[in-house]
């Protein structure tokens, strides 16, 4: 079992944000033990600006504006590292409210993947934030759930989090959506194939389309590990 954990070819990697892996509560211990030998755990360090802005004590819960800022920035940092180490991203579902980060988590992952020029596959047929992004890419009208004002109205803590970001000379940016188009997916699929991927609820078709996109990228002599 230990050999499998240390094997660099292990198929599953789990990225655990700071400070969750430091808290060592019973749920986390049980979860880690259950999947030992199945995946390798990548324990993240705190985001650089969190280290500079606050002391090194790990906030146990995101229950104040300060703690939410720390957790939010560390989630962003974890996602940036995680996506940088991926060849492509597949996104489905995703909360629109009651999340911990600076914006809905899947939406932030889409944003980071676009910034890093990763091939991106959006599965809109399974609802959630991803379906709203797919809706926008087709209609060019941003759904309410992807607007900053809607997020402030539907998440009680959000205005305080925005204020904390401002205090730390950071901001929460949704404006990137205005320029986001299907062409930014860079996933080897035609517009028609992407539109089908946005809509299909069938897993077999999802797998077929993603595989088709990856094969197209490789056939065009694009190395998935080098082009990001």
């Amino acid at each position: 079992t230990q050999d499998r954990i240390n094997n660099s070819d292990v198929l599953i990697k789990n990225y655990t944000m700071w400070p969750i892996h430091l808290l060592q509560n019973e749920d986390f211990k049980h979860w880690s033990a259950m999947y030992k030998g199945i995946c390798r755990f990548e324990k993240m360090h705190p985001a650089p600006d969190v280290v500079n802005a606050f002391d090194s004590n790990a906030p146990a819960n995101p229950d104040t504006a300060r703690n939410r800022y720390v957790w939010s920035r560390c989630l962003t940092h974890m996602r940036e590292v995680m996506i940088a180490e991926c060849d492509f991203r597949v996104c489905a579902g995703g909360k629109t409210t009651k999340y911990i980060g600076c914006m809905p988590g899947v939406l932030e992952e889409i944003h980071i993947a676009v910034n890093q020029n990763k091939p991106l596959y959006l599965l809109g047929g399974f609802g959630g934030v991803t379906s709203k992004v797919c809706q926008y890419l087709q209609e060019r009208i941003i759904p309410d759930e992807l607007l900053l004002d809607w997020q402030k109205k539907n998440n009680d803590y959000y205005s305080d989090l925005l204020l904390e970001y401002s205090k730390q000379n950071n901001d929460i940016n949704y404006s990137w959506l205005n320029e986001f188009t299907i062409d930014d997916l860079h996933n080897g699929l035609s517009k028609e194939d992407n539109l089908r991927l946005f809509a299909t609820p069938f897993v077999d078709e999802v797998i077929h389309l993603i595989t088709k996109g990856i094969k197209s990228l490789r056939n065009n002599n694009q190395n998935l590990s080098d082009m990001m």
Side-chain angles (χ1 to χ4, degrees):
T1 299
Q2 191 62 40
D3 288 340
R4 289 186 64 192
I5 298 171
N6 293 331
N7 189 339
S8 62
D9 294 328
V10 67
L11 294 179
I12 299 174
K13 293 170 68 176
N14 176 271
Y15 292 77
T16 307
M17 64 166 281
W18 186 93
I20 289 178
H21 58 79
L22 300 180
L23 302 179
Q24 290 295 304
N25 61 45
E26 291 305 313
D27 287 341
F28 182 80
K29 289 179 181 178
H30 176 73
W31 183 83
S32 300
M34 183 169 25
Y35 292 104
K36 184 178 181 180
I38 297 175
C39 67
R40 184 169 72 252
F41 296 94
E42 299 287 347
K43 298 177 180 179
M44 295 290 100
H45 298 295
D49 67 311
V50 168
V51 174
N52 294 333
F54 300 111
D55 60 47
S56 59
N57 294 327
N61 294 293
D63 53 3
T64 66
R66 172 194 180 279
N67 287 358
R68 278 191 290 269
Y69 175 81
V70 171
W71 281 55
S72 176
R73 284 296 304 129
C74 289
L75 270 170
T76 297
H77 178 62
M78 180 197 73
R79 288 170 176 144
E80 289 170 345
V81 172
M82 176 176 65
I83 292 170
E85 295 181 0
C86 292
D87 290 327
F88 57 88
R89 296 294 297 173
V90 179
C91 293
K95 294 180 179 180
T96 58
T97 60
K98 299 181 180 179
Y99 48 86
I100 298 174
C102 66
M103 65 178 66
V106 174
L107 182 63
E108 184 177 32
E109 292 193 10
I110 290 170
H111 184 202
I112 294 169
V114 170
N115 281 345
Q116 295 186 10
N117 198 31
K118 297 288 182 178
L120 181 60
Y121 300 93
L122 301 179
L123 282 52
F126 300 93
V129 165
T130 307
S131 70
K132 297 298 181 182
V133 174
C134 292
Q135 176 186 332
Y136 166 63
L137 290 176
Q138 295 174 85
E139 300 176 0
R140 304 310 300 170
I141 299 173
I142 300 179
D144 289 344
E145 293 86 347
L146 305 185
L147 295 172
L148 182 60
D149 285 344
W150 189 94
Q151 290 297 327
K152 288 194 290 186
K153 291 176 183 176
N154 289 274
N155 292 287
D156 292 338
Y157 65 88
Y158 207 63
S159 293
D160 290 339
L161 181 62
L162 288 169
L163 181 59
E164 195 65 47
Y165 264 74
S166 177
K167 288 179 181 178
Q168 302 304 326
N169 296 315
N170 264 309
D171 62 359
I172 298 176
N173 177 21
Y174 286 73
S175 63
W176 60 275
L177 280 164
N178 295 323
E179 306 299 325
F180 183 39
T181 70
I182 290 178
D183 291 339
D184 295 314
L185 300 176
H186 301 302
N187 60 15
L189 293 177
S190 66
K191 180 178 179 180
E192 291 72 22
D193 282 338
N194 271 304
L195 292 177
R196 186 58 196 160
L197 191 62
F198 292 172
T200 182
F202 302 114
V203 174
D204 288 349
E205 187 172 20
V206 166
I207 294 171
H208 165 72
L209 289 167
I210 293 174
T211 302
K212 181 179 180 179
I214 293 170
K215 286 181 178 179
S216 175
L217 292 174
R218 288 178 173 169
N219 290 339
N220 289 328
N221 297 317
Q222 291 178 289
N223 188 305
L224 285 177
S225 295
D226 293 338
M227 72 179 188
M228 318 311 176

